[in-house]
Amino acid sequence: MDDTFEEFPPRRQRPRGMGATLDQVLAAVNGQPFSYEYDFGSTTELKIRRLGERIGKQGSRPLRLLARNEAPQWPCAVCGETADLLCPECMYEADPFLCEEHAQGHGCRVDPEEMLPVVNSPRMGVCGYTG
């Protein structure tokens, strides 16, 4: 992780404890990037930035957190077209993204049937995550 995301905001400015509301926490980092560690046995570090808030009538349903994650387009390591699959063997060492056609001729010891789908999630490929 680069230094840009360390200690945003400085610890002394952040609301502390389990009593802090989400509004207090996010107000303290308005517009600044911060990191969050998502962990279900294997940690995925997310880099997040609050861009704003929605103001409007709440209605009868409980309050909901609104967020948007625009899906990145991963190019195939061979042809540059949009990738469909991720090689779990190459994930940490080489460019693991492949289109359907080039997954068939991939030189790795992973069979094309064992490759993972490209999904819109930072957990893509972690512990076999398939979305």
Side-chain angles (χ1 to χ4, degrees), residues 14-29:
R14 281 188 263 169
R16 299 186 64 115
M18 295 303 291
T21 65
L22 182 60
D23 181 54
Q24 291 171 324
V25 172
L26 292 180
V29 296

Side-chain angles (χ1 to χ4, degrees), residues 95-116:
D95 192 352
F97 298 100
L98 300 161
C99 65
E100 295 272 350
E101 179 183 344
H102 290 110
Q104 298 299 324
H106 184 55
C108 191
R109 63 179 183 217
V110 174
D111 291 328
E113 297 82 35
E114 296 173 339
M115 291 195 182
L116 302 170

Side-chain angles (χ1 to χ4, degrees), residues 3-85:
D3 293 336
T4 307
F5 291 92
E6 290 184 21
E7 295 299 321
F8 274 100
R11 204 174 280 282
R12 67 185 176 286
Q13 294 176 5
R14 281 188 263 169
R16 299 186 64 115
M18 295 303 291
T21 65
L22 182 60
D23 181 54
Q24 291 171 324
V25 172
L26 292 180
V29 296
N30 192 28
Q32 297 178 357
F34 62 98
S35 64
Y36 170 75
E37 291 182 0
Y38 180 90
D39 195 339
F40 276 100
S42 60
T43 304
T44 300
E45 186 172 336
L46 304 176
K47 295 176 182 177
I48 304 169
R49 183 174 49 172
R50 177 182 183 236
L51 298 177
E53 61 186 85
R54 180 187 180 275
I55 299 173
K57 185 177 177 183
Q58 181 177 340
S60 60
R61 293 188 165 174
L63 181 64
R64 289 185 174 38
L65 179 63
L66 301 175
R68 180 176 64 189
N69 175 13
E70 294 180 11
Q73 296 296 309
W74 300 101
C76 172
V78 178
C79 68
E81 294 296 318
T82 301
D84 305 298
L85 299 168

